[in-house]
Amino acid sequence: MKKHIKSMLVAVLGIGLLASCQTELDNFNENPNSPTTTTPSLLLSAMEVSTFATHTSGLIRNANIFTQQLAGTDVGQMGPIAEYVITENDVTNEWNAIFGTTLISGHILSRDFAENYPHYNGIGQVLTALNLGYATDMWGDVPYDEAFRAEEGIKAPKYNTQEEIYQRLQSILDAAILNLKKPAASNTSVPGDEDFIFGGDTQKWIKIAYVLKARYALRLSQVDTNAAQKALDYITMSGISSNDDDANTFFPGTANGLNQWYAFNEDRTNYLKTGKYFVDYLTTSSDPRLAFSIAKNGAGNYVGNAADNQSTTTTSYIGSAYAAPTSAIGIVSYSEAKFIEAEAKFRLGQNAKSSLEQAVTASVLKITGTDVTPAFLTAATATVNLATIMQQKYIALFLTMEPFNDYRRTGFPSLVPNQSSNTKVIPVRLPTPVEERQYNSNATVVSNVTSPLWWDK
């Protein structure tokens, strides 16, 4: 089984290297999604592999260009994204990866195997919440309650509002925690090495579920007056205590199993660079993560592209901590948990300094492999306010969607939009995919990428 799972991992990742940069997973939904031939093991590994791809491809590229951590150039299709031109045709494959592979696999896992495989189902529910969160945070209203029910005659599923989706996220994670707490004896079999993230360690998955509950609670800081207290309570309940508890991507580094940031840069030279705002902040603050997050350019310097510069290609790529062949990228991390804790405490009028220090310390250790120096930690956490917490979180959660989510709900960091763009306004969402507009009469269709989400007041 382990050899078969590894082969599937390589095959799925290979799709992302052989197809265009927008078609990583569009052909991967056949075998794992057939309830007559699949197993909980295959469904789980399919969900994890497709999550790794989603977490290191189109959605995250777009989000990090919007937050000026990355920069698209005129060499390829990232240039229009940097100019805030995103069409309904640009986001189809990202949508299909989430709904056509990850979420449908989770649906089948829950539908067909819940009773006898609660640990598999629990992990699948955590991954479902994670990916449903990706979808709603980029598109707003999305189908869920009626999704994947074509066999019942529902060919045009109704969309849930984002408010409803956020309720579902919490209930999905609550169900996951209950399943993961069940004794091993209640399972016909339990996850092992087909769980690339934790090898079937249910206690670690429970920690991640609670951190996700905190993430989603705090996301509602503008629409829920109790968001901070809920988030703080969930972090406390998680028991997450070190970087060893992080949920990370896994890439074996084989020819068709490369880290996708590395593969993208190798296959599409000069399409994607790092952003000037991000690089300059790391440089001027003498951040120890600079040399690991950013690669030197041909002249031996750390240089990023400004938001309005899509023509320069002699700038820096992503660094080796994130874009080497086997680099693991944090999906949900201890550092994020401590940043959530710091923000929640600050909003509640509590002392947030220790939590902020722990968040920065964990990030520096994870990215550099060495302990943070007292001098840098003192400088980075000298002022404890929302702006500082968000700025440090922005650095620590590079190449995740969280800085974009935080920017939309807090306004930090303070970014100047691309003034050469037509809108001169940073996008706050993606447009509805073209197939949804054309073929789902119940779709909530949005084309304006500057139209705020429900939680973004």
Side-chain angles (χ1 to χ4, degrees), residues 132-142 162 165-166 169 453 455:
L132 188 59
Y134 285 151
T136 191
D137 287 338
M138 293 303 271
W139 282 286
D141 298 353
V142 294
Q162 186 170 66
I165 292 295
Y166 263 80
L169 292 174
L453 303 177
W455 54 252

Side-chain angles (χ1 to χ4, degrees), residues 67-113:
T67 54
Q68 299 176 21
Q69 293 162 299
L70 297 177
T73 75
D74 291 334
V75 173
Q77 55 265 60
M78 295 295 98
I81 304 299
E83 295 171 345
Y84 310 151
V85 179
I86 311 103
T87 74
E88 62 180 6
N89 294 296
D90 295 329
V91 297
T92 295
N93 291 293
E94 285 76 16
W95 177 279
N96 288 343
I98 291 175
F99 285 94
T101 300
T102 316
L103 294 183
I104 194 172
S105 295
H107 169 75
I108 295 169
L109 183 55
S110 179
R111 185 192 66 190
D112 296 348
F113 300 102

Side-chain angles (χ1 to χ4, degrees), residues 95 99 141-161 432 435-437 439-445:
W95 177 279
F99 285 94
D141 298 353
V142 294
Y144 182 68
D145 288 351
E146 292 191 354
F148 320 119
R149 293 171 62 186
E151 73 278 5
E152 300 174 34
I154 301 176
K155 302 295 180 66
K158 292 180 181 179
Y159 276 40
N160 290 92
T161 66
T432 306
E435 285 90 348
E436 287 294 296
R437 177 181 63 79
Y439 303 120
N440 186 350
S441 59
N442 288 315
T444 301
V445 178

